[in-house]
Amino acid sequence: MKIDPMLPKYQEILLQCFLFSGFDKEGLCRLLSGRGEVAVFAAGETIFSPGSFRQAVGIFLQGQAQAEKKADGRTVVLNRFRPPMMFGAAAVFRSAKEYVTCVVAKTRCRVLFLSDQELDAIFQEDFLAARNYISFLSERIAFLNRKIDSFTKNSAEEKMALYLHDRCAGRKGPFWIDGSPTRLSRELSVSRATVYRALDRFCQLGYIRREGSRLQILDVESLLDWREPEE
């Protein structure tokens, strides 16, 4: 890891992060003046782990990473990150000094870190940033509640909706993600035929658009709210 002073170059990316939704470049510069630290991580380097982490949130400015957890001798991928996604939002203000997963750089990554004290100052300075943060955490709670609910219904389409929503956390659409049916089948533990049916359903509803193995997310909120129709 090395420290990088190139923050002004990434203003457009930061304005797409949920934390700065509703701000312009002037407002962003005001909030970040004298705050934050940009660090660069090489591919394969651990950014956060249960034994090594900061009391801070991280916003991806460049590169790709993933949240991983070891289970039964294998690595389970919990989330994938790319700009302008954030990690650590639910843990930064916790009194418990722990981080429950590993965040590992898959390519060269550049990350802006904002400490808990810096976030405190930002929230006191502008309530819009605090409201954005609260809205994000509220959405994560709703997502987790939906995920628990989906376990009892065994609906492939609900699983798909929640999976796609989770891949979008902290991002504003429309934007593209990797939607390889083979990967989706493996990560959701459903057949490829089931994956195709679910994707076709969400295309018809206007939530996504398919182009080969890529998916364009058009309506993040509807993915979270989607329910299996009652028979």
Side-chain angles (χ1 to χ4, degrees), residues 151-191:
F151 291 153
T152 65
K153 295 184 177 179
N154 199 30
S155 163
E157 290 186 5
E158 283 208 38
K159 289 179 181 178
M160 176 71 76
L162 292 171
Y163 175 86
L164 293 177
H165 178 274
D166 200 32
R167 292 285 302 278
C168 306
R171 302 175 68 184
K172 301 295 181 182
F175 51 85
W176 293 90
I177 65 172
D178 177 14
S180 162
T182 300
R183 168 181 283 180
L184 293 173
S185 173
R186 181 178 64 250
E187 297 195 2
L188 292 171
S189 299
V190 298
S191 70

Side-chain angles (χ1 to χ4, degrees), residues 44-69:
E45 192 171 356
T46 298
I47 300 173
F48 267 23
S49 73
S52 178
F53 62 95
R54 305 177 182 214
Q55 205 71 26
V57 297
I59 304 173
F60 283 94
L61 305 177
Q62 183 183 39
Q64 299 179 37
Q66 62 188 36
E68 304 175 347
K69 196 173 183 65

Side-chain angles (χ1 to χ4, degrees), residues 3 10 49 93 98 102 158 165-167 170 191 218 227:
I3 307 305
Y10 298 98
S49 73
F93 293 116
E98 62 177 355
C102 285
E158 283 208 38
H165 178 274
D166 200 32
R167 292 285 302 278
S191 70
L218 303 174
R227 297 291 192 279

Side-chain angles (χ1 to χ4, degrees), residues 59-143:
I59 304 173
F60 283 94
L61 305 177
Q62 183 183 39
Q64 299 179 37
Q66 62 188 36
E68 304 175 347
K69 196 173 183 65
K70 302 292 184 183
D72 300 325
R74 61 192 180 96
T75 299
V76 178
V77 178
L78 301 176
N79 203 354
R80 290 186 172 86
F81 300 106
R82 63 178 65 235
M85 297 175 75
M86 176 186 283
F87 63 95
V92 63
F93 293 116
R94 290 189 62 203
S95 57
K97 303 299 182 183
E98 62 177 355
Y99 196 75
V100 297
T101 64
C102 285
V103 178
V104 180
K106 306 308 292 183
T107 66
R108 187 172 185 270
C109 290
R110 184 172 277 111
V111 180
L112 168 65
F113 288 103
L114 292 168
S115 70
D116 53 350
Q117 293 93 344
E118 288 171 328
L119 286 172
D120 274 339
I122 287 172
F123 296 159
Q124 291 177 36
E125 187 173 317
D126 199 310
F127 179 71
L128 177 57
R131 192 180 191 284
N132 288 342
Y133 198 87
I134 293 168
S135 295
F136 173 77
L137 293 180
S138 298
E139 187 172 271
R140 297 303 293 167
I141 292 170
F143 166 79

